[in-house]
Amino acid sequence: VPNYFYKVVLKVKTDRSGAVTDACSVGFWFEHRTYSDSFDKYAVSVDQIEKWTGFDYFPALANNLETRAEQNSSWKVFKSW
């Protein structure tokens, strides 16, 4: 059984041709245990999850979009984006 589990999510905006023009992401990091509180308390940046896991998420995004999108650590910001 792993000690932790995580999820990363991404939203993109596209132009008429389908090219990605903007992006926003957020990650969640959980210890492997039972939770009774809200998951939004466990939101972290995708950058942080990349550091912990050694994986590069969203490599197909343009570097400027990927860098900005992966800095967000707020579920509230992600939802309203």
Side-chain angles (χ1 to χ4, degrees):
V1 175
N3 293 327
Y4 301 94
F5 62 99
Y6 63 93
K7 180 177 223 73
V8 295
V9 291
L10 173 71
K11 286 184 186 180
V12 297
K13 293 182 181 176
T14 59
D15 62 17
R16 289 180 184 248
S17 70
V20 176
T21 59
D22 204 359
C24 184
S25 69
V26 69
F28 297 92
W29 186 266
F30 301 94
E31 288 183 52
H32 196 99
R33 63 178 178 84
T34 302
Y35 289 86
S36 60
D37 53 351
S38 176
F39 68 91
D40 60 339
K41 293 179 182 180
Y42 304 96
V44 297
S45 71
V46 173
D47 276 338
Q48 184 61 59
I49 292 178
E50 288 179 334
K51 288 176 188 169
W52 288 332
T53 64
F55 294 117
D56 179 21
Y57 298 99
F58 320 129
L61 281 178
N63 284 336
N64 63 326
L65 296 178
E66 181 182 10
T67 298
R68 188 174 62 247
E70 291 181 351
Q71 292 175 353
N72 177 50
S73 62
S74 169
W75 174 243
K76 187 180 285 189
V77 168
F78 180 80
K79 284 188 346 182
S80 66
W81 187 82

